[in-house]
Amino acid sequence: MKKSLTAMLLPLLLTACGVSLPDTIHIDAREPSHHSHRPERDAEGLIRTAQGECLDIHGDDHRSLIRYRCHGQANQLFRWDGSSGTIRQNARCLDVAGGETHDGSRVILFACNGKDNQRWYADGSRIRSVASGKCLDAAESHLAIRACNGSRAQQFDWGGR
């Protein structure tokens, strides 16, 4: 087979510059594991939206997850359990209601059960569901999951009280 001029000169040029490449390069095209996106350590406190509000458990039913002005009371304090990937408040976990995976599925507080619809991972400033890969979304007053779209409604930050 006839080699192109570039294919013949490239190794000589790299050698002259002191650059060496391995004989083979392995590229792993699999999606990264959801587990690799979890925080290294547990986190605790307020979860703030990009609009400056906080995740809050609605006082009417004590299970609906809403966004509300930050006040730091107990119904706004959450704990990220890095070992299980759950976001907890006492013995309850953030839960995609009914294990649904479609856009607009509500996120509530429910008894922890270890299922994927209660497991989350951080992806930059986004919080994503392990069950669907969709983002926690605060575009409306009640929180839901939606396809990740880069909007401010899908950006969150752990803060103090």
Side-chain angles (χ1 to χ4, degrees):
M1 277 188 145
K2 195 173 186 184
K3 281 188 172 182
S4 73
L5 184 59
T6 304
M8 292 187 315
L9 292 178
L10 185 59
L12 294 172
L13 179 61
L14 291 173
T15 302
C17 292
V19 176
S20 64
L21 296 174
D23 292 334
T24 60
I25 298 173
H26 174 71
I27 298 173
D28 190 350
R30 292 177 298 168
E31 287 292 315
S33 165
H34 293 306
H35 304 290
S36 65
H37 296 287
R38 288 194 194 137
E40 294 290 322
R41 290 178 248 164
D42 294 350
E44 193 166 340
L46 300 172
I47 304 174
R48 296 180 191 275
T49 68
Q51 295 90 350
E53 295 175 303
C54 286
L55 270 59
D56 187 296
I57 303 303
H58 198 286
D60 287 349
D61 65 10
H62 302 289
R63 68 182 220 138
S64 293
L65 188 64
I66 62 172
R67 56 181 170 80
Y68 193 77
R69 77 174 163 75
C70 300
H71 53 67
Q73 299 299 314
N75 62 319
Q76 290 187 344
L77 299 177
F78 296 90
R79 184 174 61 86
W80 182 288
D81 182 338
S83 63
S84 68
T86 56
I87 300 173
R88 298 173 176 252
Q89 190 179 75
N90 299 321
R92 298 187 299 167
C93 291
L94 262 61
D95 178 291
V96 181
E100 297 290 332
T101 58
H102 64 275
D103 280 4
S105 297
R106 297 272 294 262
V107 177
I108 62 172
L109 200 60
F110 195 78
C112 297
N113 58 32
K115 294 182 180 176
D116 280 352
N117 66 311
Q118 292 187 345
R119 296 178 49 231
W120 304 87
Y121 64 98
D123 180 11
S125 62
R126 299 182 297 190
I127 299 173
R128 297 179 68 169
S129 169
V130 168
S132 66
K134 294 189 176 183
C135 285
L136 184 62
D137 187 286
E140 298 174 10
S141 61
H142 286 79
L143 273 75
I145 57 166
R146 289 192 170 44
C148 299
N149 60 28
S151 73
R152 290 176 46 87
Q154 296 180 352
Q155 296 175 12
F156 300 91
D157 185 39
W158 283 94
R161 286 188 181 215

